[in-house]
Amino acid sequence: MRRERRAWRVADIDWIDALYKAYLTGIVGIVSIALLSAWAGGDRVATSTAQKVAADGPALLGLLAAVVVTVGLRSGERGGPLAIEAADVRHVLLAPVRREIALGPIAQRQLRHVAFTGGLVGIVAGQLAFRRLPGNDIAWIVAGAAFGASLAVGFAGAAMTVSGRHVRRPLGSLVGVALVAWSIVDVLTDHLTSPLSFFGRLALSPIRFHVVDVVPALALLALAALGYASIGGTSLESSERRAALVGQMRFAVTLQDVRTVLLLRRQLAQELPRSRPWFRVNRGPAVWVRDWRGVARWPKGRIARVVALGAVAGAAARAVWDGTTPLIAVAGLAMFVAALDAVEPLGQDLDHPDRGSSVPIVAGSLHLRHLSTAFAVTLLTGAVGLATAVAIGPDRALTAQVGAVTLVVAAGAAVAGAAGSAITSDPASRGEYAALLPPEALGSITAMRLVWPAAVAIAGFVPVVVARAAYTSTNPTAPSPVQAATSVGIIVLLVVAFVGAWVRFRDDARKWMSDAFAEAKASTGASSS
C-alpha cells in the first residue's frame, strides 16, 4: 500500500525532468562548494600550527561527537528519531503486522537521510580543511565524509536504540553526560583515552593516519545496526505525539514561521518551565521583572543548550581570528539561535497581543523594553564564548581585548536579528498589501525576511575579521586590532539601533501606510464617480 501511494504521488512527475533537476542541482552544488572553499579557504598554516591541530584537534572533535551522540540519546528518550505519519501510527502500527516490517522502510529512509546530510557536511569541512592544512585534497574529502556520515548514523542509531529498547529516563542522558565528561577530560589533559577522541582523530587522518581510528567509526555503524534491529519496540504513544508535532512543524516551516517552529521544537523536546525558579526577582521595572522571572524558570536543558551555543560561538570566533574566515557564519548563527531563546518574552507578547493592548503603553515601546533583558542574557551567553576563546589561546591578552569589544557588538546584533525574526514570523506583521505586489517582488521579500535576521547576527562578528586584518597588516599606519574592531563595531551597532527603531515605530509606520492607502483609494473612487 505504501508503494502504491508513492506511485500515485509521483505519477504526474516526468522522470526525465526529475533526473535533469537532480543532475543540475548536484552540478551546481559541487561547483558552488568548490568555488566558495577556494575563495574563503585562507592561507596555508605554519608547520607548528599543523602540529598543534594534529595534537589538539582529535579531542575537540571527540567532544563534538560526544555531544551529538548525547543529543541522540536524549532524542531516543523522548521517542525519536523516527517521524511517523499519524495515519501509519493509528492504522499500520496497530495492524496484525510485525512492527519491524512496518517501520523498516521508514528507518532505512531516516538512516539514508542522516548519512547523506552528515557526509555532505563532512565534504564541505574537508574542502575547507585541505586549503589550509597539509595533506591530499581527496584524502581530506574522504576523511570528512567518513567522519560526518558515521557520526550522523551514530546519532540516529543511539536514538533508535534508546527508543526501541525502552531505556528509562534519565539513564540515556546520564550515559551521554559521561561521554561528554570523558571527552572534556581528554581536552583538558591533552591525552586521548575516550573512544570518541580516537574517532575524532579519523577526521584528521590526512595529517597522520592510524588504523585503530577506524574502530570507533565501525562501532557507530554497529550502533546504527542495533538501533535498526530495535525499532520494533517503538512506543505507540510517543510515535503519535511526535507525528502530531512534526506535522505542525513541517507546516510552520512551509510558512517560514520561525516562532512556531521553535515552540513546537520545545514541545517535541518536552521542555517545561521549572516549578521552582532558579532565583527570584522582585524589584525593578515591570517588564524587566517579568522577563527575568521567565528566565528564572528556564529548564536545565535550555540553559545547557544556550551555554553550549555560546561556547561554539567563541570557538568559531577564535578560528576566524586564526584565519578560517567562513566560520564567522557558524559563530553568528550560534549566537542567533541562543538569542532566539532570550527574546522569548517578546514572542509571548506577539502571541498574545490582547494582553499588551490592555495596558496604557504603545505596543512598539513595550516590545522594545523586552530587548533589554534579552541583551543581558545574550551578553552572558557571549561571555561563555569569550571565556572559551581566551582558554583556547595562545595570545590570551589580545584575545580578551578584541573579544570584549566583539562581545558587546555580537550580543546586540544577535538580539536585533532574533527580535526581527520573531516579529517577521508574526502573521500580523507580514504586511496587509502583499496581494498588491507582483509575484517576483513577493518572492524576493519573502527571501529577505528569512535571511536578514541571521545576516545581522553574523555581522556582529565582523570586528574579529577586521581586527585580524589590522593585526596581520604590515602598514605602519594601520590601527591596532582593538581600534579596528571598535570602529567597525560602532557601524554594526548603528545597524542594531536602526533595527531597534524599527521595532519601536513599525506599528506607526504601518498605520501611516494604511491611512495613505485608504486615502488614495477614496480619492480614486471620487475621481471615477
Side-chain angles (χ1 to χ4, degrees):
M1 290 177 66
R2 187 179 288 130
R3 245 192 332 266
E4 290 295 326
R5 184 175 62 178
R6 187 180 301 113
W8 278 102
R9 185 179 300 173
V10 300
D12 296 333
I13 301 177
D14 194 314
W15 68 271
I16 297 180
D17 292 340
L19 182 62
Y20 174 74
K21 291 179 181 179
Y23 172 78
L24 187 61
T25 302
I27 293 296
V28 171
I30 293 173
V31 173
S32 300
I33 292 173
L35 291 178
L36 290 176
S37 63
W39 172 71
D43 300 327
R44 287 279 182 178
V45 301
T47 304
S48 58
T49 304
Q51 293 175 352
K52 182 176 178 58
V53 170
D56 300 338
L60 294 173
L61 292 173
L63 178 59
L64 171 64
V67 171
V68 171
V69 172
T70 301
V71 172
L73 294 173
R74 288 178 56 83
S75 175
E77 289 179 339
R78 298 187 291 264
L82 299 181
I84 309 168
E85 296 182 9
D88 281 339
V89 176
R90 296 178 182 178
H91 300 288
V92 178
L93 297 188
L94 290 176
V97 180
R98 289 181 56 192
R99 204 167 293 172
E100 294 87 348
I101 298 176
L103 294 178
I106 300 175
Q108 294 171 15
R109 186 166 61 250
Q110 180 88 358
L111 290 173
R112 288 197 303 266
H113 174 71
V114 298
F116 175 78
T117 304
L120 184 61
V121 173
I123 289 173
V124 175
Q127 278 278 340
L128 295 174
F130 89 82
R131 302 283 179 180
R132 306 203 65 206
L133 297 173
N136 183 268
D137 53 350
I138 301 299
W140 277 111
I141 293 174
V142 172
F147 179 83
S150 301
L151 182 57
V153 169
F155 159 81
M160 290 180 187
T161 301
V162 172
S163 176
R165 300 283 175 175
H166 297 285
V167 177
R168 294 183 178 180
R169 302 179 67 177
L171 181 58
S173 298
L174 292 177
V175 173
V177 170
L179 290 174
V180 172
W182 195 354
S183 297
I184 291 176
V185 170
D186 285 0
V187 172
L188 297 178
T189 59
D190 294 331
H191 289 85
L192 302 184
T193 58
S194 170
L196 293 178
S197 297
F198 290 100
F199 175 63
R201 198 165 62 178
L202 176 65
L204 302 175
S205 56
I207 299 178
R208 189 180 304 159
F209 177 72
H210 301 81
V211 179
V212 70
D213 300 337
V214 182
V215 176
L218 298 177
L220 290 175
L221 296 179
L223 181 61
L226 177 61
Y228 182 78
S230 306
I231 58 176
T234 302
S235 170
L236 286 175
E237 293 80 4
S238 299
S239 299
E240 187 169 12
R241 175 180 171 275
R242 287 178 61 86
L245 293 174
V246 171
Q248 297 177 40
M249 186 179 296
R250 288 171 177 168
F251 182 71
V253 169
T254 59
L255 296 178
Q256 295 90 37
D257 191 350
V258 180
R259 168 78 182 146
T260 304
V261 171
L262 288 176
L263 292 177
L264 292 174
R265 197 210 64 79
R266 289 172 187 160
Q267 294 182 32
L268 198 62
Q270 299 181 2
E271 282 191 8
L272 300 176
R274 288 174 57 86
S275 58
R276 299 182 59 183
W278 295 101
F279 53 87
R280 297 188 181 276
V281 180
N282 298 318
R283 293 183 180 180
V287 177
W288 177 268
V289 172
R290 174 191 168 193
D291 292 352
W292 277 108
R293 285 179 177 176
V295 174
R297 294 185 181 274
W298 277 13
K300 292 181 290 185
R302 189 180 304 179
I303 295 176
R305 181 175 66 251
V306 170
V307 170
L309 288 170
V312 169
R318 176 66 209 192
V320 172
W321 174 262
D322 290 335
T324 309
T325 307
L327 289 182
I328 187 176
V330 176
L333 291 177
M335 287 293 288
F336 174 67
V337 174
L340 287 174
D341 282 319
V343 299
E344 174 65 17
L346 171 61
Q348 291 292 337
D349 266 345
L350 293 171
D351 290 344
H352 306 89
D354 55 327
R355 296 183 180 179
S357 61
S358 63
V359 296
I361 186 174
V362 179
S365 177
L366 177 62
H367 296 163
L368 187 62
R369 296 182 187 186
H370 283 302
L371 301 187
S372 59
T373 304
F375 179 70
V377 173
T378 310
L379 269 180
L380 296 176
T381 305
V384 175
L386 178 58
T388 303
V390 172
I392 293 176
D395 45 351
R396 292 184 170 86
L398 183 58
T399 301
Q401 295 173 7
V402 176
V405 176
T406 307
L407 171 61
V408 178
V409 179
V415 171
S421 177
I423 291 173
T424 54
S425 296
D426 183 22
S429 67
R430 297 194 177 187
E432 303 171 358
Y433 315 105
L436 303 178
L437 298 174
E440 295 80 6
L442 187 60
S444 301
I445 292 174
T446 302
M448 285 298 299
R449 187 174 63 237
L450 291 174
V451 170
W452 79 260
V456 172
I458 294 173
F461 287 90
V462 172
V464 179
V465 180
V466 178
R468 185 194 69 193
Y471 179 70
T472 58
S473 176
T474 58
N475 187 357
T477 61
S480 66
V482 178
Q483 292 174 343
T486 304
S487 300
V488 176
I490 292 174
I491 299 175
V492 177
L493 289 178
L494 290 176
V495 177
V496 173
F498 176 79
V499 175
W502 171 72
V503 172
R504 170 61 181 84
F505 296 106
R506 77 187 190 284
D507 289 335
D508 298 334
R510 187 186 305 160
K511 185 178 182 302
W512 177 84
M513 290 182 62
S514 178
D515 294 342
F517 269 85
E519 183 179 352
K521 185 177 181 180
S523 61
T524 302
S527 301
S528 301
S529 60

